[in-house]
Amino acid sequence: MKKKNKFWFSVYAGCVAVLILGSCKKQLIEEPHTVFTTSFFQTLPGIQAARTTLYSGMRYNYGPEPTLAITVMGTDEFTGADQVTAATGGQYVRSFALYGGTAPIQASDGSLLNQWNNNFNLINLANAVITYTPAVNADTATKVLYLAEAHFLRGLYYLNLVQQFGAVPVDLGSGDLQFNQTAYTGFNRLPVDSTLAKDYSAMIADFTYASQNLPDQRPANAFYLAKPIAFLMLARVYIYHGYSSQGQPSDFQNAYNAAMEVINNQGKYGVALQQDYGKVYAQGNDYNSEILWSVERLPGDNNDNEVPNQQNAAGKNNDAAVDFAPNYTDVAGAKSPGVGRQTVYGRPIRRFAPTRWLWDTCFADKYNDSRFDNSFRMMWFTNQGGSGNNGGAINYGDTAFVLAVSQAQADSFNALPGRAYGVVPPSKFWTLQNNDPEDIYPYLNKFSDSLKSNFNDFASGRPFVVGKLSELYLLAAEAAYKNGDANTAANLINVLRTRAAWRPDLSPSEIADRAAAIQVSPPQINVDFILDERTRELCGEGIRWPDLAMRGKLVERVQEHNPDGGPNIQSFHVLRPIPQSQLDAVTTKDPAYQNPGY
């Protein structure tokens, strides 16, 4: 949703929502410039202000460094980069990479709060919209739209909590899914099993309502909600539910039906896969037909992006471009004094480094499958050149250094006559084990932003993708497999693999040969294969930790593929701890409020 000229509405409605739960009460009482009451939500302007706040509040869940830390780090895909272990820098997210030892995950970890401290207020605000919209003075179509959006956003706020913490309250003080107007110090989480059942019922109902009542298509150049993203979240929740203790025999069939509704009716819903995987995340193509919905940011518009401080790493920032950036400015063997900081490469704050399994095993076939080359930067160009730099052999714009995907490739590069640029072999890629001082590794550049005003800025003005059409193929394939139909699962995955073979410089026959080489057959399909394929298609996109945890595969795959987190991870780590600040604020104490192991 584009929020130009709506920032103050967002702040206004947000303060009202916070007042309801008491968190801002003291400040507002001390300086009461005006009086806000819940009667505001009984007017059309009040509902419209709340709607804007519900959209913009998703920025807490998609893009900020703390949220990325708990959704990306400590998986089979990503571990902590060098700043995570430094004395200053990203050490506050270290526990999510290591799970224990000198850095156990604790209930006081601040990165848990970006979602926890904001989502419940926003859920309550959605409850207000759902309560009051039917009676406001507006035409029926407008009210149906606002209700559908509120149901979807409430479901997604709940999903972001449930996939991290397990059962969370659906009763915020006034009854299940009811708007609460008074400060409340209870914590309606017990019994955990029945509360979790309510969570799933609420999410399924919300996404179902949205899939029936949102518009068929989103606008061409804005991220308002439409039915395709509702069907995706409905399919995802049914998949998660099917693996859970709450699972029902119909879950996987329901997931399949939701996903196939969009896949089989792409013209109706205005969606289509991009021919070139590299275009899905290309800057300037953020509104392409494969993106079902993103959380909106606007290039160069810090006010409307709600980013008052470009050097902040929490709040509503989209920090993804810099969080994955390695220390490209200090690579031995490159031109001296090295590659200077450049906006397109991001400020190298070095939070998330890929595991060796990710680039070496999961993306083993980099020839036939284009997705690694289209996801990771392996070559840097200098912005410093001329005399005195490698004897003048490297000039502005020349290759400064490359990362080789194998020792054989490194040897090949090094043997080239007249080579002036540096070559970094895989043995020199940074990991927590080798602690190589160069701090370099493949850079996930899906989020790269060349339009920031300054190369030192943290926050990006690019939207953060929440759901893509390609994931619907993966969800449908998984659901089909779980229903015993590996043939359909393979066919759906092969649609993505055929697309993955496409490169703009290949002839049709070359593309066909490469596509044929990576087709998958039904006997190859299992949950681990599907998870591998999800990495190839969705790497680093903020859903990996939940994907593994909700499927019961987190511990197994971290132990197998991540030597940093593997030694310490335990079964209880499939849930995060309930934040200590929450437990301290509850009037009636109960040890059962906390998740086991913490």
Side-chain angles (χ1 to χ4, degrees):
M1 177 184 179
K2 289 191 173 180
K3 300 178 181 63
K4 191 72 172 174
N5 299 324
K6 295 183 180 178
F7 174 64
W8 294 113
F9 282 117
S10 175
V11 173
Y12 174 83
C15 284
V16 173
V18 171
L19 174 60
I20 290 162
L21 294 185
S23 299
C24 266
K25 189 172 182 180
K26 180 178 179 182
Q27 291 92 323
L28 289 173
I29 287 177
E30 286 179 342
E31 297 185 69
H33 299 291
T34 187
V35 177
F36 299 128
T37 71
T38 57
S39 63
F40 180 55
F41 298 129
Q42 298 175 37
T43 68
L44 183 59
I47 294 298
Q48 290 170 331
R51 177 198 186 210
T52 299
T53 299
L54 289 175
Y55 268 105
S56 68
M58 277 297 164
R59 291 169 173 167
Y60 290 117
N61 293 269
Y62 296 96
E65 184 178 310
T67 304
L68 287 169
I70 63 174
T71 56
V72 169
M73 189 182 287
T75 65
D76 47 6
E77 291 183 356
F78 288 92
T79 183
D82 70 285
Q83 284 295 297
V84 172
T85 59
T88 59
Q91 73 279 0
Y92 55 90
V93 298
R94 183 184 306 160
S95 59
F96 302 107
L98 298 179
Y99 290 100
T102 59
I105 296 175
Q106 301 180 70
S108 58
D109 282 336
S111 290
L112 301 173
L113 300 179
N114 223 51
Q115 292 179 334
W116 188 272
N117 282 357
N118 296 292
N119 282 15
F120 287 109
N121 281 344
L122 291 157
I123 287 168
N124 197 46
L125 187 59
N127 291 340
V129 173
I130 292 167
T131 298
Y132 293 119
T133 294
V136 300
N137 184 19
D139 61 86
T140 300
T142 297
K143 291 194 282 190
V144 168
L145 173 62
Y146 291 173
L147 284 169
E149 290 174 328
H151 276 283
F152 176 90
L153 292 166
R154 182 175 69 178
L156 189 54
Y157 281 119
Y158 264 118
L159 178 56
N160 276 283
L161 291 169
V162 169
Q163 67 191 13
Q164 293 286 336
F165 302 99
V168 296
V170 293
D171 178 358
L172 303 183
S174 295
D176 290 355
L177 301 176
Q178 297 301 304
F179 176 47
N180 180 44
Q181 303 184 46
T182 59
Y184 183 66
T185 57
F187 191 42
N188 297 314
R189 191 175 189 241
L190 303 178
V192 170
D193 287 345
S194 61
T195 302
L196 185 61
K198 290 180 180 181
D199 291 328
Y200 273 111
S201 294
M203 290 186 292
I204 289 169
D206 277 343
F207 292 138
T208 298
Y209 185 97
S211 72
Q212 295 168 345
N213 292 285
L214 285 170
D216 287 348
Q217 299 184 17
R218 66 166 174 81
N221 293 302
F223 284 120
Y224 290 94
L225 292 163
K227 287 178 180 176
I229 188 63
F231 280 116
L232 185 148
M233 290 303 168
L234 185 58
R236 192 188 286 179
V237 168
Y238 271 127
I239 290 281
Y240 287 171
H241 194 240
Y243 285 103
S244 77
S245 61
Q246 310 287 325
Q248 299 295 316
S250 59
D251 284 333
F252 293 112
Q253 185 61 51
N254 288 334
Y256 180 81
N257 293 343
M260 293 305 297
E261 168 62 25
V262 179
I263 291 170
N264 288 335
N265 298 284
Q266 296 186 35
K268 173 183 176 180
Y269 295 117
V271 299
L273 294 174
Q274 297 287 285
Q275 180 183 40
D276 181 356
Y277 181 85
K279 295 297 184 183
V280 179
Y281 265 91
Q283 189 168 12
N285 196 36
D286 294 296
Y287 299 95
N288 68 75
S289 61
E290 189 165 335
I291 306 301
L292 306 184
W293 190 59
S294 292
V295 171
E296 194 94 71
R297 273 93 171 178
L298 303 177
D301 194 338
N302 292 341
N303 282 341
D304 280 306
N305 292 340
E306 299 171 279
V307 181
N309 180 2
Q310 278 287 316
Q311 309 304 314
N312 188 24
K316 292 183 174 181
N317 285 19
N318 179 3
D319 301 315
V322 299
D323 282 330
F324 293 92
N327 193 13
Y328 60 86
T329 62
D330 191 24
V331 176
K335 62 170 289 298
S336 177
V339 181
R341 289 188 180 184
Q342 300 180 52
T343 304
V344 68
Y345 300 148
R347 178 173 174 171
I349 64 172
R350 294 118 67 189
R351 299 299 192 255
F352 312 132
T355 63
R356 185 179 182 104
W357 170 83
L358 177 66
W359 56 263
D360 190 34
T361 302
C362 189
F363 284 105
D365 188 345
K366 300 175 181 65
Y367 177 79
N368 295 304
D369 190 327
S370 70
R371 288 175 290 188
F372 179 84
D373 288 344
N374 281 315
S375 299
F376 288 90
R377 175 174 292 282
M378 301 290 279
M379 179 182 295
W380 280 257
F381 300 95
T382 183
N383 60 347
Q384 304 176 43
S387 61
N389 295 302
N390 269 357
I394 294 180
N395 296 300
Y396 188 96
D398 287 351
T399 301
F401 65 93
V402 299
L403 308 187
V405 298
S406 66
Q407 186 59 50
Q409 187 184 71
D411 293 341
S412 178
F413 281 140
N414 283 321
L416 291 174
R419 175 189 61 81
Y421 54 82
V423 178
V424 182
S427 61
K428 301 287 285 183
F429 293 177
W430 192 94
T431 69
L432 285 171
Q433 283 74 48
N434 70 16
N435 197 25
D436 193 282
E438 290 182 343
D439 306 327
I440 192 69
Y441 43 82
Y443 169 36
L444 182 77
N445 65 351
K446 291 179 176 180
F447 311 107
S448 180
D449 184 359
S450 63
L451 299 179
K452 289 188 289 186
S453 59
N454 187 287
F455 55 71
N456 278 326
D457 286 347
F458 282 29
S460 168
R462 295 188 63 185
F464 193 97
V465 174
V466 176
K468 304 187 301 188
L469 177 60
S470 57
E471 188 187 355
L472 280 170
Y473 281 89
L474 293 164
L475 292 170
E478 185 174 5
Y481 167 74
K482 294 295 286 185
N483 280 330
D485 187 357
N487 288 316
T488 295
N491 290 338
L492 287 162
I493 289 173
N494 282 333
V495 172
L496 301 180
R497 294 197 141 216
T498 298
R499 190 266 293 271
W502 196 92
R503 295 180 192 257
D505 56 345
L506 298 180
S507 69
S509 62
E510 289 173 317
I511 293 170
D513 288 343
R514 295 193 187 193
I518 56 175
Q519 298 297 285
V520 61
S521 61
Q524 294 174 267
I525 303 295
N526 56 41
V527 173
D528 283 301
F529 182 90
I530 291 168
L531 285 170
D532 291 352
E533 197 67 14
R534 286 182 70 83
T535 283
R536 288 183 277 266
E537 196 69 31
L538 309 171
C539 179
E541 296 179 18
I543 55 174
R544 189 59 174 184
W545 191 93
D547 271 353
L548 297 180
M550 300 295 271
R551 289 172 173 83
K553 301 292 287 187
L554 177 70
V555 175
E556 172 190 336
R557 290 182 69 100
V558 170
Q559 288 177 341
E560 185 174 356
H561 302 310
N562 183 337
D564 300 333
N568 296 320
I569 194 169
Q570 299 181 54
S571 59
F572 69 83
H573 285 125
V574 298
L575 293 176
R576 306 299 194 183
I578 303 300
Q580 189 61 45
S581 56
Q582 171 67 47
L583 302 180
D584 291 342
V586 175
T587 301
T588 303
K589 311 297 182 183
D590 191 327
Y593 288 150
Q594 185 56 275
N595 282 322
Y598 298 103

